[in-house]
Amino acid sequence: MSLHTIRPTSLVIFCKVVDNYGDIGICWRLARQLQHEHGIDVTLWIDDLRTFRRICPEVLLDTEMQVVAGVAVRHWRDQEGVFVTDDIADIVIEFFGCDIPPGYVAAMAQCEPRPVWINLEGLSAEEWVEGCHTLPSSHPRLPITKYFFFPGFTARTGGLLRESGLGEQRRQFQSDRDGVAAFLAQFGVTPAEMASLKVSLFCYPHAPVSELFAAWQRGGAPITCLVPEGVAVEPVRAFLGTDPKPGATRTQGALRLHVLPFVPQPDYDRLLWACDLNFVRGEDSFVRAQWACKPFVWHIYPQDKNLHHVKLRAFLQCYSSGAESLAAFSLRWNGVTVEATQDQAGWRVLWSQFQADVPKIAQDSADWEQKMLENGDLASNLVKFAGSIRSAATENKV
Ligand code: TRH
């Protein structure tokens, strides 16, 4: 048995942008954290610099190799390329099973010791995740093993992505009321609107946004909704009566709507911290909403055969046991339940029940944060795991 684990010093992440922003959003956070907090040399191979640039404006387009925030960013154009063992990092992460270049895998198989090859999977609260986390899988031809690494909500998973200083940054931001007002003012939120329920809205195009807007308009309490450009385009256009460009705004009934620009990733965090309720989607904004310690509603990425319904229920079961209104609202928002509440009156009831519970859910969100912190953070758990595999591989050679 080894007394020490061998610390990996270099790491590469291969990220393919399948659709949307989440893949690069997650890989970019992970890359930065590994570099800044673990002192690892990180290279990020990314196939879509344009999408990357939307969340990180420092990124240059049409550049083969650039350094951003200390991370080497390489444009991953194709599967070609000849690699030698010196090119191979100690840890190789393929995000979400993306197919890394065969030349790179061939060189990995020649390294001594082998790099730790990890397939970083998607987040799910389903029970089977614990059983699959860190499972090895041998390459069909080459003498190299890949390990499945699952983020998750329990100590028997990889945990959630979270930078070490995040809680402190959030607390400082939220405790500065003038700072929060100034942050939101840049998106057109007036001092009077600061007293309303402030809601950020990020969802997939099939979300029932028009129904929600109608319920908000007719509700008693004023609501200020902040929606980034390109989100819920049709319902937002219908509400505004004009193109949903950044700066566009309109009030109807109790609802004031502001269209924001698509903001850089750190500002998106601040937006979540500044609002009273956040509608989020996919994986990364979903996790960041949890770290915002504010009530949130998750729009889950749709999958074939409604597999996402199972995932949604699994999460709601572990998260919202105390608030039935949140579960009912979330299921309807995701189209899981329709029968009893498909009319507008049903929406208003769902919303008013949920809204009444928002203060209680806000209190519970701090307990959830504490519970999640006990699992450690994904980047640290990943480094620890890779270190143990690498140590074992090195010892076997001695
Ligand atoms: O963009 P998404 O829908 O990504 C999804 C999920 O990751 C899903 O698991 C994946 O399979 C699918 O894409 C293909 O939602 P997500 O995960 O919340 O990622 C959005 C990212 O965009 C996140 O990092 C936050 C960032 N963002 C900004 O930086 N600025 C903004 O204004 C907004 C609205 C988001």
Side-chain angles (χ1 to χ4, degrees):
M1 272 291 280
S2 169
L3 291 178
H4 304 286
T5 51
I6 295 184
R7 274 193 57 75
T9 59
S10 59
L11 179 144
V12 63
I13 302 176
F14 285 91
C15 174
K16 254 198 185 125
V17 174
V18 176
D19 189 7
N20 305 318
Y21 306 95
D23 304 312
I24 181 56
I26 294 162
C27 291
W28 180 229
R29 284 192 203 286
L30 177 64
R32 269 179 303 168
Q33 192 185 352
L34 290 165
Q35 177 87 35
H36 296 167
E37 293 179 22
H38 296 272
I40 295 176
D41 283 338
V42 180
T43 302
L44 171 64
W45 286 82
I46 167 83
D47 65 336
D48 181 350
L49 291 170
R50 203 165 289 278
T51 298
F52 189 7
R53 190 172 148 113
R54 295 222 57 206
I55 63 162
C56 178
E58 295 93 302
V59 169
L60 303 173
L61 304 180
D62 300 322
T63 305
E64 292 308 306
M65 154 63 182
Q66 55 192 306
V67 177
V68 186
V71 173
V73 174
R74 304 201 56 167
H75 192 183
W76 182 11
R77 288 186 183 279
D78 53 40
Q79 293 298 86
E80 307 302 315
V82 177
F83 297 88
V84 296
T85 53
D86 278 354
D87 297 326
I88 307 301
D90 296 344
I91 308 176
V92 178
I93 298 180
E94 60 175 45
F95 184 70
F96 228 7
C98 66
D99 225 2
I100 66 181
Y104 198 92
V105 179
M108 281 162 70
Q110 286 168 11
C111 292
E112 289 296 350
R114 303 275 191 273
V116 183
W117 185 7
I118 289 175
N119 177 1
L120 181 55
E121 284 285 349
L123 174 62
S124 172
E126 291 163 287
E127 267 176 33
W128 60 263
V129 166
E130 289 187 347
C132 294
H133 177 54
T134 70
L135 274 188
S137 160
S138 300
H139 191 279
R141 283 179 298 101
L142 299 169
I144 187 158
T145 302
K146 174 155 68 178
Y147 296 87
F148 293 92
F149 204 88
F150 284 82
F153 302 96
T154 70
R156 296 174 68 188
T157 68
L160 299 173
L161 262 183
R162 174 178 166 117
E163 304 83 5
S164 64
L166 189 72
E168 193 43 43
Q169 280 173 26
R170 173 179 59 78
R171 276 185 288 277
Q172 271 185 19
F173 179 86
Q174 288 176 337
S175 64
D176 175 7
R177 289 170 66 103
D178 292 346
V180 171
F183 175 77
L184 291 178
Q186 65 179 311
F187 305 126
V189 177
T190 62
E193 287 163 17
M194 287 302 291
S196 65
L197 185 81
K198 298 174 291 302
V199 183
S200 77
L201 178 63
F202 186 36
C203 57
Y204 294 109
H206 61 281
V209 173
S210 301
E211 289 89 331
L212 185 61
F213 282 177
W216 283 349
Q217 267 174 262
R218 288 179 203 117
I223 293 182
T224 302
C225 177
L226 301 159
V227 56
E229 181 186 20
V231 175
V233 172
E234 290 314 322
V236 170
R237 178 181 287 122
F239 183 89
L240 293 169
T242 178
D243 261 3
K245 297 217 178 81
T249 184
R250 184 172 185 190
T251 303
Q252 289 198 59
L255 173 59
R256 173 82 167 172
L257 187 72
H258 292 285
V259 179
L260 330 181
F262 194 92
V263 294
Q265 214 179 29
D267 276 343
Y268 184 67
D269 272 343
R270 290 184 196 106
L271 180 67
L272 298 176
W273 300 343
C275 287
D276 306 302
L277 169 65
N278 295 302
F279 284 71
V280 288
R281 75 184 201 189
E283 180 168 327
D284 193 51
S285 58
F286 167 54
V287 172
R288 302 313 275 190
Q290 293 170 54
W291 298 141
C293 288
K294 294 289 183 78
F296 67 90
V297 178
W298 182 29
H299 204 215
I300 188 167
Y301 189 74
Q303 285 180 293
D304 288 346
K305 301 185 185 153
N306 286 336
L307 275 179
H308 58 295
H309 290 183
V310 179
K311 282 189 182 172
L312 175 67
R313 285 186 191 278
F315 175 71
L316 289 173
Q317 198 169 5
C318 65
Y319 180 77
S320 69
S321 49
E324 279 174 31
S325 61
L326 170 60
F329 190 89
S330 302
L331 292 170
R332 180 63 190 93
W333 180 244
N334 283 280
V336 181
T337 47
V338 280
E339 307 79 18
T341 57
Q342 58 199 351
D343 58 347
Q344 196 51 54
W347 264 105
R348 284 209 296 279
V349 171
L350 269 182
W351 167 248
S352 68
Q353 288 170 342
F354 175 45
Q355 190 180 14
D357 283 340
V358 160
K360 157 94 178 70
I361 300 167
Q363 278 169 12
D364 291 349
S365 61
D367 296 340
W368 177 256
E369 180 190 37
Q370 281 313 312
K371 196 170 156 191
M372 292 301 102
L373 287 177
E374 284 164 20
N375 302 330
D377 71 275
L378 185 95
S380 305
N381 291 338
L382 194 144
V383 170
K384 211 185 292 171
F385 171 71
S388 66
I389 298 289
R390 192 128 174 110
S391 304
T394 307
E395 270 179 23
N396 288 341
K397 294 285 150 208
V398 175

